[in-house]
Structure formats: structure tokens, C-alpha cells
Amino acid sequence: MTKNASISRLALGLLLAAAAPAVAQTAPNTTPAPKTQAEQGTGIASAGKVIPVAEYYDGGQTAMYDFIGKELKYPLMAKRNRIQGQCIVSFTLNPDATLSGIKLVKQVGGGTGEEALRVVRLLKFKKPEYPILTSLPITFKLGVTGSNATEGQ
């Protein structure tokens, strides 16, 4: 075998190896199943995915998001500017049931990040056996209000 042929085969192998992950990540053209109401993000705080740390909250994930929805106050600046979206708060749940390293990973602005941090600090978890680093998504979504455009006409 010549040196040029082995270099060509090596180059071809590297090219195929580099292209394989891109081909493997291409999903077939399928339509997703319809989402449930909780997955669509209706309400102020919603849970679309299973949050592992929720098993350490009394009542589980549903109770945790009910508490968040009850305590969450939509920031006035965000409401005025119609800011909606998801904030993500990261923290560590320690073996003594305290939270540490609470930080904002993603925010949408208008005071939503600060409000998400405030509400996460209010959460009370049970004691895990080991520290758990997790992130918690909190969705801010404005409610649909009735239109008064036809009033007085």
C-alpha cells in the first residue's frame, strides 16, 4: 500500500467520523404528541419536566409548583412591558435540608429573575442523603384578560 493511499483512507475515515454525530442527531420528521395543560406552561409556574429535587418536597412536584404559583408575584415592570418567559434558578440542596449556591441561570427581565430567586428561597425541602445540585425552571406567563375594545360603542 502506498503512502498516498493510506493518507487518503485516513482522511476519508476522519471525515466520516466527523460527519457521524451530525447524522446521528438528525431526528425523523415526526409530529410531537399533544402536550398536557401542565406542559404548555399555562399558569404562572409550571412543571413540564420531572425535577429530581421535587421528590424531597412534601407532596412532590405538583405541590411544589402549586406553592410557587401561590407565592409568585408578577413583577410590575414585567407586567407593564408584557414580559413572559422562563427563569431558571440553580441551587444545591444540602443534607441538612438547607439551600446553598442559589443563583440565577436564566432570566427574561423586568424583575422576573429576582422574584424567582425570592420564591426559591421560600421552598422547604426534606433532608436528602447527599447534596443535590439542581436547577428549577419557573415560568412567568401573563393571564388572558378580557378585551374592553368594544365597551362604549
Side-chain angles (χ1 to χ4, degrees):
M1 184 185 279
T2 67
K3 186 175 181 182
N4 285 341
S6 62
I7 291 175
S8 296
R9 286 186 184 183
L10 177 64
L12 180 62
L14 290 173
L15 181 62
L16 289 174
V23 172
Q25 292 178 2
T26 306
N29 215 0
T30 60
T31 56
K35 293 184 175 184
T36 64
Q37 190 173 10
E39 291 173 332
Q40 290 174 351
T42 59
I44 296 175
S46 67
K49 296 182 189 177
V50 175
I51 309 296
V53 79
E55 72 182 75
Y56 297 101
Y57 189 84
D58 279 331
Q61 184 165 325
T62 304
M64 182 177 69
Y65 274 108
D66 287 345
F67 175 80
I68 290 171
K70 186 175 69 174
E71 291 294 322
L72 202 64
K73 294 180 178 82
Y74 217 104
L76 188 58
M77 178 81 68
K79 193 181 283 188
R80 282 184 184 161
N81 293 310
R82 298 177 185 225
I83 296 172
Q84 300 184 89
Q86 192 174 66
C87 293
I88 299 176
V89 179
S90 172
F91 61 90
T92 301
L93 176 57
N94 298 311
D96 61 352
T98 60
L99 302 180
S100 64
I102 302 171
K103 63 182 177 182
L104 199 56
V105 177
K106 178 188 169 201
Q107 69 171 327
V108 292
T112 56
E114 292 80 6
E115 180 62 12
L117 286 171
R118 183 189 72 80
V119 172
V120 166
R121 287 187 180 106
L122 295 175
L123 294 173
K124 302 294 180 205
F125 292 94
K126 295 183 265 184
K127 295 179 180 184
E129 298 170 10
Y130 49 87
I132 300 170
L133 175 63
T134 190
S135 59
L136 185 65
I138 298 178
T139 302
F140 287 83
K141 184 169 182 165
L142 292 169
V144 179
T145 58
S147 173
N148 60 2
T150 58
E151 280 185 22
Q153 292 180 357

